[in-house]
Amino acid sequence: ILHLSSAASLEFGDLLQIKKQLISVISLCKERGLVHSVKWASELAFALDPLPKDELPPPPPFTEEDAQDLDALALAKSYFDLKEYDRAAYFLRGCRSHKAYFLYMYSRYLSGEKKKDDETVDSLGPLEKGQVRNEALRELRVELSKKHSAGELDGFTLYLYGVVLRKLDLLKEAVDVFVEATHALPLHWGAWLELCNLITNIEMLKSLSLPDCWIRDFFMAHMYTELQMIKEALQKYQSLIEAGFSKSTYIISQIAVAYHNIRDIDQALALFNELRDQDPYRIENMDTFSNLLYVKSMKPELSYLAHNLVEIDKYRVETCCVIGNYYSLRSQHEKAALYFQRALKLNPRCLGAWTLMGHEYMEMKNTSAAIQAYRHAVEVNKRDYRAWYGLGQTYEILKMPFYCLYYYRKAHQLRPNDSRMLVALGESYEKLSQHVEAKKCYWRAYSVGDVEKMALLKLAKLHEQLNESDDAAQCYIIYIQDIFSCGEQLEHAEVSTALRYLGQYYFKNKLYDEASLCAQRCCDYNDAREEGKALLRQISQVRDQAETPSAELFAPLSNNNTPVRRVSPLNLSSFTP
């Protein structure tokens, strides 16, 4: 392991060395049964050019203890691979080598996890929180902490110690141990990934002293994605691609997920399609791909993806989530919820499934089950803004605006530039009669780029309620310009409401030309036609009565009660609805 630590501070200039390190760490992880780290390193190594025969790294040094434990280790590893963990641990008792000690402890840990999972599936549906614990954790912690104090743990056993601490909810100690593990063995991706799940904000990330090693760039990019700092994440991944990892399917999938997080749906779809071309039997991240297809209502594509994944492996969490999304898109919500439950039976820590199940229960008007599902999602990952937002929506249905406010705030903190969170916050403030806060939220939602084009409308209506007619008119004007400039007709566009208000507003302010223009435009909309005609009649009556020069018409404006701050007349001629 030593030769890996010393060489780990390379820059990307030397891809040859990186490839050698990856090959070494793959064999180390393989011997210890750390399959996910093996997969990650292998995918990266595959993206780099193959090494010539004489450049292949030498096998790790072999000690006297390794020689003594060789047979026991080979036997135990065969049982371990067959998931007979207790049997593997039994034959490793009393072994002295680092490798055998790790496998001994890891077998005991996995044995406890397997029993816990079996018990969870046997006794409970996924919505009931069973107090089932991994019984082995406490003993493992006691033994590992003794060795830790004596400084006898290597990079792999430090990683295992960290996992045990995390499972016992000793998160602060776990972070310290994982940082120590990354220093002891920088190339073990598992330790970095565990650290990712424990870091809650950018301040905490900056406070950690991490080893200066090329793998740290992968960690930082992953971390930026998790913390919703997508711009920084994309820059990092771009620099990794330029450094020589352009063929890496891992990086393509991460960039696709990043685009999904900022709702750049077309970019994300293009990348997922490229990923499926390169790796057609891949199942990871396909649940995210199905979310995108769902949002775009692409039924045939989602149906194809679901059938395709069922052929590959129908008992994978991602497959169940994709099928759940497929049924949800077809409005078969009971069936969808059933598949998300199946996903959770396969993996109770599957974040996406909890959130999606919450959405399905919302559709079925089962608010208490929805709340429970969203709470589970938040327990699994405090950074899941969709679950916080879902909780806010659920309490909105229950007409509990104080609760809504708390949950929408959480969602907004995680996604400060997402207009949907801001509009929801504004609505909650409005219900609580905190009008100043509500106005701020709506205006900010418009400023960050309003996805649903609702913020200005809500702001205008709020100004209207508060009799702030100038501000309301200004908002309606920008709203109409916004709707027409985006070209596509939105389903909920309330242009007629805006035109009706502006017509009346201009009429009150004696700007008859603008008022009649708005009234004429009202006639284009069914729900405002009658009012438009009525306003046109009123205008012509006023004009008939006042056959006076127009200069006198506008003179009294400054003396009457209208505020002096004037609104610029709306130039509607350039827009065609």
Side-chain angles (χ1 to χ4, degrees):
I1 294 175
L2 286 174
H3 70 287
L4 283 180
S5 317
S6 55
S9 56
L10 291 168
E11 269 313 297
F12 283 102
D14 199 350
L15 287 177
L16 193 71
Q17 283 304 106
I18 290 177
K19 176 87 174 191
K20 283 185 183 177
Q21 291 175 18
L22 284 168
I23 291 171
S24 303
V25 86
I26 288 167
S27 74
L28 290 175
C29 292
K30 209 178 269 177
E31 291 167 341
R32 290 165 176 79
L34 294 163
V35 284
H36 291 290
S37 291
V38 170
K39 185 174 87 168
W40 184 83
S42 303
E43 282 181 352
L44 266 197
F46 184 74
L48 298 174
D49 295 333
L51 291 177
K53 182 169 174 283
D54 50 348
E55 287 286 355
L56 290 173
F62 200 70
T63 63
E64 186 57 45
E65 287 168 344
D66 286 326
Q68 279 177 357
D69 295 345
L70 191 63
D71 300 328
L73 193 60
L75 178 65
K77 184 70 171 65
S78 70
Y79 294 144
F80 179 92
D81 290 340
L82 291 166
K83 297 190 166 42
E84 299 183 41
Y85 300 121
D86 291 332
R87 201 173 174 194
Y90 177 79
F91 284 100
L92 287 168
R93 302 175 337 280
C95 284
R96 308 277 298 282
S97 66
H98 276 306
K99 204 185 299 179
Y101 179 68
F102 173 81
L103 203 61
Y104 170 61
M105 297 306 260
Y106 192 40
S107 299
R108 287 169 60 191
Y109 165 75
L110 285 179
S111 157
E113 283 295 291
K114 187 167 183 290
K115 285 168 193 159
K116 182 189 82 172
D117 288 347
D118 292 350
E119 211 166 308
T120 310
V121 170
D122 289 346
S123 61
L124 307 162
L127 270 182
E128 297 168 65
K129 183 86 196 290
Q131 293 307 308
V132 189
R133 295 207 68 130
N134 177 345
E135 296 302 330
L137 290 175
R138 290 213 167 80
E139 289 174 28
L140 288 172
R141 183 190 164 209
V142 171
E143 293 173 40
L144 285 165
S145 71
K146 276 184 198 157
K147 289 246 182 194
H148 184 230
S149 310
E152 289 172 14
L153 297 184
D154 66 353
F156 287 113
T157 19
L158 279 167
Y159 158 74
L160 182 59
Y161 183 35
V163 172
V164 169
L165 291 171
R166 173 176 68 73
K167 289 271 184 181
L168 289 167
D169 287 329
L170 301 165
L171 304 184
K172 199 172 171 310
E173 293 95 318
V175 170
D176 296 340
V177 171
F178 284 128
V179 170
E180 200 181 328
T182 58
H183 278 280
L185 184 70
L187 291 177
H188 177 216
W189 180 242
W192 293 98
L193 209 50
E194 284 288 344
L195 207 48
C196 277
N197 296 333
L198 293 174
I199 293 172
T200 46
N201 54 41
I202 187 70
E203 287 72 33
M204 184 174 173
L205 179 60
K206 284 179 176 160
S207 68
L208 299 176
S209 74
L210 298 165
D212 184 21
C213 153
W214 60 266
I215 208 165
R216 179 182 171 166
D217 286 317
F218 283 90
F219 166 75
M220 290 306 276
H222 188 97
M223 214 51 250
Y224 287 146
T225 312
E226 287 287 308
L227 295 172
Q228 303 296 336
M229 298 165 63
I230 305 297
K231 195 166 146 242
E232 291 85 345
L234 289 171
Q235 282 172 348
K236 266 272 186 246
Y237 282 126
Q238 197 49 48
S239 68
L240 289 171
I241 285 174
E242 284 160 14
F245 288 99
S246 56
K247 293 188 196 137
S248 163
T249 48
Y250 165 76
I251 291 182
I252 297 173
S253 68
Q254 286 295 106
I255 295 175
V257 169
Y259 278 125
H260 163 267
N261 287 1
I262 49 170
R263 298 183 74 76
D264 186 338
I265 294 172
D266 296 331
Q267 279 272 29
L269 280 174
L271 283 162
F272 273 120
N273 284 320
E274 185 188 328
L275 194 60
R276 276 178 65 75
D277 287 343
Q278 285 192 25
D279 190 355
Y281 292 94
R282 179 190 183 94
I283 292 186
E284 306 101 286
N285 311 109
M286 287 303 124
D287 46 344
T288 310
F289 183 33
S290 76
N291 291 345
L292 294 163
L293 295 173
Y294 179 91
V295 171
K296 294 280 274 190
S297 298
M298 296 165 84
K299 265 189 194 160
E301 290 85 344
L302 188 52
S303 164
Y304 175 74
L305 180 67
H307 281 102
N308 188 231
L309 293 185
V310 167
E311 277 175 19
I312 298 169
D313 184 352
K314 72 185 198 192
Y315 295 114
R316 272 284 286 273
V317 176
E318 292 90 341
T319 307
C320 294
C321 288
V322 172
I323 299 171
N325 271 339
Y326 170 66
Y327 281 124
S328 182
L329 191 54
R330 294 181 54 174
S331 301
Q332 294 175 282
H333 299 296
E334 286 85 357
K335 260 189 166 174
L338 192 74
Y339 272 94
F340 293 132
Q341 280 179 333
R342 186 179 285 184
L344 290 164
K345 279 203 158 152
L346 291 167
N347 176 10
R349 290 189 62 77
C350 173
L351 171 69
W354 282 120
T355 310
L356 293 169
M357 190 153 78
H359 296 344
E360 292 314 307
Y361 283 128
M362 285 275 282
E363 293 287 347
M364 296 192 278
K365 308 277 184 289
N366 183 347
T367 41
S368 61
I371 287 172
Q372 228 177 334
Y374 288 135
R375 285 197 191 288
H376 274 286
V378 168
E379 269 175 37
V380 175
N381 181 357
K382 296 258 189 300
R383 289 192 301 263
D384 182 28
Y385 75 93
R386 291 168 312 170
W388 290 111
Y389 184 63
L391 279 166
Q393 285 180 310
T394 323
Y395 281 109
E396 201 170 312
I397 289 172
L398 297 172
K399 300 199 168 27
M400 299 166 80
F402 268 116
Y403 281 89
C404 292
L405 200 59
Y406 173 75
Y407 293 117
Y408 285 144
R409 256 200 205 131
K410 285 276 196 193
H412 168 61
Q413 282 162 3
L414 292 164
R415 301 269 298 197
N417 290 336
D418 194 322
S419 61
R420 292 163 307 160
M421 316 297 148
L422 283 155
V423 170
L425 259 181
E427 286 173 342
S428 304
Y429 279 126
E430 202 176 323
K431 282 177 191 142
L432 295 165
S433 301
Q434 298 188 22
H435 294 137
V436 179
E437 297 299 327
K439 284 183 209 168
K440 278 186 202 161
C441 288
Y442 290 143
W443 184 251
R444 175 125 174 80
Y446 167 67
S447 311
V448 296
D450 184 8
V451 188
E452 293 169 338
K453 303 266 182 266
M454 289 291 283
L456 279 171
L457 190 65
K458 291 190 182 293
L459 183 55
K461 285 180 176 172
L462 182 56
H463 281 310
E464 201 179 321
Q465 276 172 25
L466 300 172
N467 294 325
E468 298 166 350
S469 55
D470 282 9
D471 292 324
Q474 190 72 59
C475 289
Y476 276 131
I477 288 174
I478 307 174
Y479 173 68
I480 290 177
Q481 290 171 340
D482 225 25
I483 293 287
F484 286 154
S485 64
C486 78
E488 54 185 305
Q489 277 302 306
L490 295 150
E491 287 166 29
H492 54 246
E494 292 188 36
V495 177
S496 54
T497 316
L499 287 168
R500 250 181 297 184
Y501 183 83
L502 285 169
Q504 294 293 342
Y505 171 78
Y506 287 133
F507 183 73
K508 280 180 200 146
N509 283 338
K510 302 198 168 90
L511 293 165
Y512 298 119
D513 292 347
E514 285 82 5
S516 73
L517 190 61
C518 290
Q520 284 161 13
R521 277 308 172 86
C522 278
C523 296
D524 296 339
Y525 297 90
N526 291 337
D527 55 346
R529 188 165 294 145
E530 292 311 312
E531 290 189 37
K533 286 177 181 169
L535 184 56
L536 282 171
R537 283 197 292 276
Q538 275 178 299
I539 293 168
S540 63
Q541 278 170 10
V542 173
R543 282 187 165 151
D544 292 344
Q545 286 166 13
E547 296 282 52
T548 50
S550 58
E552 292 175 31
L553 250 182
F554 289 101
L557 254 184
S558 51
N559 311 335
N560 75 5
N561 301 330
T562 330
V564 184
R565 188 167 79 94
R566 295 301 315 286
V567 170
S568 54
L570 171 60
N571 175 13
L572 269 176
S573 53
S574 58
F575 299 116
T576 47

